[in-house]
Structures are given as structure tokens and as C-alpha cells.
Amino acid sequence: MSDFQPLDFLLSHHVAFSLLAGFFLDCILGDPHSFPHPVRFMGCLIAFLEKKLNKSSDSAKKQRFKGFLLVIILVSASFLLPFGILFVSRLLHPLLFLTVESIFCYQCIAARSLCHESMKVYKALKICDLPAARKDLSMIVGRDTDILDEKGVARAAVETVAESTNDGVVAPIFFMALFGSPGAFVYKAINTMDSMIAYKNERYLNFGFCAAKLDDMANFIPARLAALFMIFASFILSLIPSKKRFSFRNAVRIFIRDRYKHASPNSAQTESVMAGALGLRLAGDTVYGGKVEKKEFIGDKTREIEDKDISRANLLMYGTTALSIMCILSTYAVIFYLLS
């Protein structure tokens, strides 16, 4: 029987190892603003290409083709660049490869950043500093925040945590598990394009059409998995005596009833679970750029929202994240056992 080789074992399971290492790095470091982040480079490239390609004088068909071209460039670059770096690092040394892959995975997970930014809103509300809460909220949402009262600010923060549980955490982990960090970077590129050019206005209706549809497809499975993990997380939290605000039964009920009450086929999946688990009514009409966007309500107003619901939403987000990683690692373990 051959001796056990730790390095060979880690290399043969590098995706699982890097995913776990990336998650722990995110928990410890978060997203320091001084540290260059690939998503920022993606955003700069999208802005540059959009400025060069998107012309109002073009026909609708030509705008869609140019939008498709931008998507091809971004997706290709987001996969090939990290893949090339990983390929070279593996040729240089296996430990360098594992380190780079772990750092790449860390950069694709945004749990700590999401919690940090939303808790800044909570802390401002806690000391009754509404202007500061509005300002902090404006950093993580696209809606107009200067018209929101305390409850409106808290509601918007909870909604953002709910939706970003998929976009910023579960979906990247899902693609990471399937395709390694290059797959996660591709997802981040798709999600960034959706947030920048997939608006239903005159400028982006046609140009952002491909980006919007690709984002819907990319999130279809992860959003539903995230909702299911969040439901199970609410069940676990509901068993803790000090966490009586969480309701597993209501999370399931509202998820079944309200999971499609959104213009996007995916966004209300986790938001409906969050609303049900916390007993809140979320969504409703929202103001963007001074214009009211009509939206259906999600959940029932069993109680008034409070600032502590932001911290509860983050607790549910972390529970969902932990369950998703545990599920992936368990799947890897079963596959390894069956193939060994």
C-alpha cells in the first residue's frame, strides 16, 4: 500500500480545498478597499466597452449584436485570464497553484463584505443617525435612499442581504464547485454586466438584452438552491431559544406563495424566504432616479420591521452560506468514496 501524499491529495481535490480556504479567507479579511478586486476591473472594462459600442444611432438589432459582443468579450476574458494564471502557477509549483486558486475563490465570495456594509446601516440606525444610514445604504443599493424613513432604510438593507445571498455568495460558490475559480469569475462577470447594463430604459433596453437574459439563466439553479438552503437555515435557527424571530413554517409558506413576485424570475426566491422567516413584508414600489417602479409586496406584515432585522438577515445569510458549502463538500466526499 502506497504512502499517503498530502500534496497529491490536495491537488486532486483542489476545488474543494480552495473553496473552503476561500470562504475562511473571506470570513477573516472581507473585501479591503485598498486591495485590488477583479470585479472592479470587470466594471471598468464594461464601462469602457459600453462607451465604445453602445450608440443611440444604431438600430435595435445592431445594439443587441453589440451587447452580445460585449458579453462574449467579458465572459472570455473572465475565464481565460484566471485559467491562464492558474495553468502557469501549476507549472511553477503545486503549492503556488493551490495558493492562487484559494485567493481567486476568496475574491469571488462576498459574505463578509455584504455583512459589513449592511451592518454599517444597522449601526447608524441604532444611534438614530438617519442621514448616515441613508448614505451607507446608498453604497449597496441602486434605489433613491434620500426619501426613505428608518423603516424604509431597514427594509431596503434586509432586501439587499436577501437578494445578495444568492448573487454574492451561493451562486459564485455553485459555479466554483463546478468549474473552479474561473467558473466563479465568469459568473461574477455576468452578474456585474447585469448590474451595469441590463436596465429597461432607452439606453440599455436592447444593448443590455443579452446580459440580462444570460444573468437570468446563470442564476436559475443557484437562486433556487440558495432559497432551499435558506429555508433549512431558518429551521436550524428557529430551534435556538434565543432566535425565536425565525419561523421555518412561515418561510416555506411565503416562499411557495411569493417566490415569483418579481420582474426577475430569480430575485424573489431568497427574498420570499427572508420575508417569511422574519415575518416581514418586503419589496413594494421603489423609486429609482426619481421615478417610481411598481413592485408587488413579498411576505406578510405580521410585525413592524426594526433595525435588528438587518443583523438577523445577515445571520440567515451566513447560515445559508455554511449549509451550501457543507452540501458541496459532502457531495465531493460521496463522489470520492464511490470512485475510490
Side-chain angles (χ1 to χ4, degrees):
M1 185 176 179
S2 60
D3 294 334
F4 175 71
Q5 298 294 328
L7 186 57
D8 291 339
F9 178 82
L10 288 176
L11 283 174
S12 62
H13 301 84
H14 67 91
V15 173
F17 170 80
S18 301
L19 192 161
L20 193 58
F23 173 66
F24 282 124
L25 283 173
D26 177 71
C27 290
I28 296 168
L29 302 176
D31 180 19
H33 292 289
S34 58
F35 193 78
H37 199 285
V39 172
R40 298 191 185 103
F41 293 114
M42 292 176 187
C44 291
L45 182 56
I46 293 167
F48 172 78
L49 291 174
E50 191 273 334
K51 186 177 180 180
K52 294 292 184 181
L53 297 173
N54 192 12
K55 307 296 181 183
S56 58
S57 58
D58 290 338
S59 64
K61 186 176 181 179
K62 194 171 184 179
Q63 284 181 331
R64 286 196 178 190
F65 174 75
K66 287 185 174 181
F68 171 75
L69 187 62
L70 184 149
V71 168
I72 293 297
I73 294 171
L74 256 294
V75 168
S76 299
S78 299
F79 180 82
L80 292 175
L81 188 58
F83 180 84
I85 293 173
L86 287 170
F87 181 78
V88 173
S89 66
R90 186 156 190 167
L91 291 177
L92 293 174
H93 198 280
L95 284 177
L96 178 61
F97 167 75
L98 288 171
T99 301
V100 172
E101 176 82 320
S102 298
I103 292 173
F104 281 172
C105 289
Y106 150 62
Q107 291 180 315
C108 291
I109 301 173
R112 170 76 180 270
S113 175
L114 175 60
C115 180
H116 175 73
E117 295 300 324
S118 60
M119 288 303 287
K120 286 165 65 176
V121 179
Y122 164 73
K123 290 173 184 176
L125 288 175
K126 192 175 181 180
I127 60 174
C128 301
D129 191 346
L130 181 58
R134 287 169 171 169
K135 182 179 179 181
D136 291 333
L137 179 65
S138 69
M139 304 303 293
I140 56 175
V141 301
R143 71 186 70 184
D144 295 354
T145 61
D146 56 342
I147 61 172
L148 298 175
D149 59 10
E150 289 86 350
K151 289 183 174 59
V153 169
R155 186 177 299 106
V158 170
E159 290 169 8
T160 299
V161 173
E163 187 173 347
S164 297
T165 298
N166 174 60
D167 296 350
V169 187
V170 176
I173 287 173
F174 173 79
F175 284 98
M176 206 180 292
L178 292 178
F179 308 109
S181 61
F185 277 123
V186 167
Y187 172 79
K188 299 297 284 188
I190 293 170
N191 191 244
T192 305
M193 285 188 288
D194 181 71
S195 66
M196 292 182 66
I197 63 171
Y199 295 102
K200 292 183 179 180
N201 54 29
E202 186 177 351
R203 181 176 180 83
Y204 295 117
L205 182 62
N206 292 298
F207 186 80
F209 177 81
C210 182
K213 294 302 179 183
L214 186 59
D215 184 76
D216 286 344
M217 290 188 290
N219 280 299
F220 188 85
I221 295 176
R224 285 150 184 79
L225 287 175
L228 292 177
F229 288 135
M230 189 176 284
I231 287 172
F232 283 112
S234 70
F235 172 71
I236 294 171
L237 289 170
S238 69
L239 298 177
I240 303 173
S242 62
K243 307 298 179 184
K244 292 183 179 180
R245 283 294 188 187
F246 295 94
S247 172
F248 165 70
R249 183 175 297 179
N250 202 45
V252 173
R253 183 178 69 85
I254 298 299
F255 169 70
I256 293 172
R257 192 191 73 186
D258 294 350
R259 67 187 187 277
Y260 290 116
K261 287 187 175 181
H262 199 284
S264 164
N266 306 311
S267 295
Q269 300 290 324
T270 49
E271 197 169 335
S272 60
V273 178
M274 184 73 75
L278 296 179
L280 302 173
R281 188 174 69 174
L282 302 177
D285 296 349
T286 308
V287 181
Y288 296 93
K291 296 181 179 179
V292 178
E293 182 175 312
K294 306 295 289 184
K295 293 183 179 181
E296 291 190 71
F297 286 112
I298 295 174
D300 295 328
K301 191 177 180 180
T302 58
R303 63 180 179 86
E304 289 290 342
I305 193 167
E306 55 188 13
D307 52 20
K308 288 183 180 179
D309 286 313
I310 301 175
S311 61
R312 293 179 185 122
N314 279 300
L315 185 59
L316 195 53
M317 179 272 292
Y318 265 113
T320 304
T321 303
L323 285 174
S324 65
I325 292 176
M326 288 172 59
C327 181
I328 289 170
L329 294 180
S330 298
T331 303
Y332 275 128
V334 169
I335 294 173
F336 174 72
Y337 175 78
L338 293 175
L339 295 179
S340 62

